[in-house]
């Protein structure tokens, strides 16, 4: 009886899996990104198209309902640099995962450097004003009397 339930659960998991339709050069990456977004339980088709222009590579991602064929969500973006990161962000976004805005982070590079510098200054002050360690060996100099 338990074996039958295990087979039934495995079959259900296979039946309700995300289908990826993408060019062969990026199909494996898109599937990995979709699994990272926990989209394996989605019963939908993720269709990815690439249009190469002179300025950039245009990506079009569509999440399509498998039953009625309607587009659930569509994302279009153009990437010139770091296309893998942009593709990963788009796949995560199409499945409703929040993506941090990489172009305008909460703390900029100068703010991070200021925090690191303040940490080094605080550590230096603590070390400067702390008690110095006592030497392990104490040498006594004896004066020789004649």
């Amino acid at each position: 009886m338990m074996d039958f339930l295990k087979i039934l659960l495995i079959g259900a998991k296979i039946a309700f899996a995300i289908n990826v339709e993408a060019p062969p050069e990026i199909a494996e990456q898109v599937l990995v990104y979709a699994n990272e977004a926990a989209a394996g339980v989605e019963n939908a088709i993720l269709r990815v198209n690439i249009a190469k222009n002179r300025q950039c590579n245009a990506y079009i991602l569509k999440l399509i309902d498998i039953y009625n064929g309607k587009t659930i969500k569509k994302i279009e973006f153009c990437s010139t640099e770091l296309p893998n990161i942009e593709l990963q962000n788009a796949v995560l976004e199409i499945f409703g995962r929040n993506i941090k805005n990489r172009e305008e982070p909460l703390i900029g590079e100068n703010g991070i450097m200021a925090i690191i510098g303040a940490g080094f200054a605080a550590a230096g002050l603590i070390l400067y004003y702390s008690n110095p360690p006592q030497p392990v060996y104490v040498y006594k100099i004896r004066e020789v009397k004649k």
Side-chain angles (χ1 to χ4, degrees), residues 2-50:
M2 289 300 283
D3 293 332
F4 177 71
L5 288 175
K6 287 180 184 177
I7 293 171
L8 185 63
L9 287 173
I10 291 171
K13 187 173 182 179
I14 291 171
F16 296 108
I18 187 77
N19 295 326
V20 175
E21 295 177 3
E25 60 266 10
I26 64 167
E28 188 175 336
Q29 292 173 333
V30 171
L31 184 61
V32 168
Y33 299 150
N35 288 335
E36 182 182 332
V41 296
E42 297 277 339
N43 199 10
I45 299 170
L46 178 61
R47 186 171 293 149
V48 180
N49 296 322
I50 303 173

Side-chain angles (χ1 to χ4, degrees), residues 36 82 84-90 92 98-109:
E36 182 182 332
L82 304 173
N84 288 337
I85 292 174
E86 296 294 330
L87 182 62
Q88 181 181 15
N89 289 342
L92 292 175
N98 290 332
I99 305 298
K100 294 180 182 176
N101 190 354
R102 295 180 187 270
E103 295 175 3
E104 296 179 17
L106 187 60
I107 299 176
E109 292 178 11

